[in-house]
Amino acid sequence: CHCSPKQVSRDSGLRVATEGVENTIRVAVEPPPHATAVQILDLFERIDIFRGFYIDRAREILQFVQEETFHAGDTIIREGDAGIRFRVIVSGVVGIRAPGDAEAESKFYSTGDFFGETSLITGGPTTATVHAVTEVACISFDRNQFLHLLRGTNAVEQLLHLAAIRRDPSWEVLESNSCFKRLSSSQRTSFQTILHTKCVSKNDILWEQGTAPAEVGILVSEGLMELHRFPASHASITEEETTQPSSAKRMRHEESPIFRRGAFLCDVNAMLQGSPPSTTCIAHTDGVVFEIRRDDFRRFLEENPKITLLLMNT
């Protein structure tokens, strides 16, 4: 605690420490046995694709793992090189430079984030340049070790899906959303794994108010989307009407808002409860959205409860 000298009585047996960071007292503490192993497994537990590995896989992780350090300014991966290692950041920050951009970082990764996986799976060259922004410590695995760890799981499919989503501007779209921009880099990566790119055409009805349990939400990448809330008596349209080109026009309300890039459109309560949505979503123009499906969304919020509160308050 912080207190002034006047608050410490002479007979207390206490002495007021000298102010200033340079006078910080550091107590040497012996790390517990197996502390490094616990730290490595904790890092893997934070990565969705490795969560729930059996104990024999944990043993292999500890047998294969190598520790690496990089100085600020070091290039860890250069775009176009052959993929050599899968890395997980233990401490520090790395910058990711998008293909063809030799100067500016498109994003930053920190503790718990991973990189280098796609080229190991596909056998192709690396698609971005990664450099150390600060002093960086990583744990890493070579290609054979990495693929051996993934055997018998659906991790390869998950990582290929993540690679495809990363090729789209999903990171930048998340950054443009007032809620999702607050996610840590590892949370954004986790959220990217549940996104599905979908092209929509003008007047497409993405979901309809009151007709079925809410199944999806969307994050707008390109184009404009409308969100409508109708009186109960006009909450749905007939099957015949849905086949008519003018059906979306009939469902429109002049005062309904238009949403653009970065907007997250979702009836969160309906998605969590499995109830019908309270709105209708229509594509105002041709566009591209990232679709989030109900079960994936529920699981993400269960693992990140703070995000639920942020969404409820926006």
Side-chain angles (χ1 to χ4, degrees), residues 160-171 192-193 195-197 290:
L160 289 174
H161 173 73
L162 177 61
I165 289 296
R166 282 176 166 173
R167 285 195 292 272
D168 292 330
S170 55
W171 191 275
Q192 284 179 306
T193 64
L195 299 178
H196 300 270
T197 305
F290 295 112

Side-chain angles (χ1 to χ4, degrees), residues 39 43 46-47 88-94 108-114 136-137 184-187:
Q39 182 186 33
L43 277 173
R46 293 170 58 178
I47 301 174
V88 183
I89 302 173
V90 177
S91 63
V93 177
V94 303
F108 297 91
Y109 288 169
S110 58
T111 301
D113 290 320
F114 58 89
V136 173
S184 67
S185 52
S186 57
Q187 286 175 319

Side-chain angles (χ1 to χ4, degrees), residues 2 10 14 128 151 172 186 211 234 252:
H2 298 272
R10 293 182 179 181
L14 300 176
R151 75 192 188 284
E172 294 76 13
S186 57
T211 55
H234 301 290
R252 287 194 163 89

Side-chain angles (χ1 to χ4, degrees), residues 174-232:
L174 289 170
E175 178 66 25
S176 64
N177 180 278
S178 60
C179 177
F180 293 130
K181 71 185 300 181
R182 305 185 200 181
L183 299 181
S184 67
S185 52
S186 57
Q187 286 175 319
R188 287 194 200 183
T189 297
S190 179
F191 196 67
Q192 284 179 306
T193 64
I194 66 172
L195 299 178
H196 300 270
T197 305
K198 180 176 182 178
C199 296
V200 297
S201 300
K202 182 178 180 179
N203 292 331
D204 278 356
I205 300 171
L206 282 74
W207 64 81
E208 186 182 341
Q209 178 180 340
T211 55
E215 295 289 344
V216 298
I218 61 168
L219 186 64
V220 182
S221 178
E222 299 175 19
L224 303 174
M225 305 295 139
E226 306 171 18
L227 203 59
H228 304 263
R229 191 186 301 272
F230 302 99

